[in-house]
Amino acid sequence: MSTTAFFHSDSGCVRFWVEVAGVEVGASVSREALHHRYQAHRVDDEPLATYLSHIPELQAAVHRRLALGSRPPVLLREADLRELPAP
């Protein structure tokens, strides 16, 4: 199985994998969630390019969802991508 991130046009999501405790966990994030979080002022954004520019933050969001009890595969929502307040 390939663990290379890709845009799945039928679902409108970028599908990717995150290593958690030595296991690759599937995850996805919609084109709309990526657009609204990272490219809200653009009309020419590409979901896969946006994902690739924000991998650490998206992986951290998957880890947070799993820590809160989500089960794989994880579907990230817009609320999962909101900036966290500064400590």
Side-chain angles (χ1 to χ4, degrees), residues 18-75:
V18 177
E19 186 175 329
V20 179
V23 176
E24 294 290 326
V25 174
S28 61
V29 61
S30 72
R31 168 198 328 247
E32 293 80 13
L34 288 167
H35 172 78
H36 291 295
R37 171 64 177 94
Y38 300 109
Q39 304 289 342
H41 300 291
R42 294 187 61 177
V43 295
D44 62 344
D45 52 316
E46 293 291 328
L48 185 57
T50 302
Y51 163 80
L52 292 171
S53 295
H54 300 282
I55 290 173
E57 185 175 345
L58 294 163
Q59 288 181 343
V62 171
H63 282 276
R64 285 193 303 274
R65 287 283 309 276
L66 291 168
L68 292 171
S70 290
R71 296 173 73 171
V74 175
L75 172 60

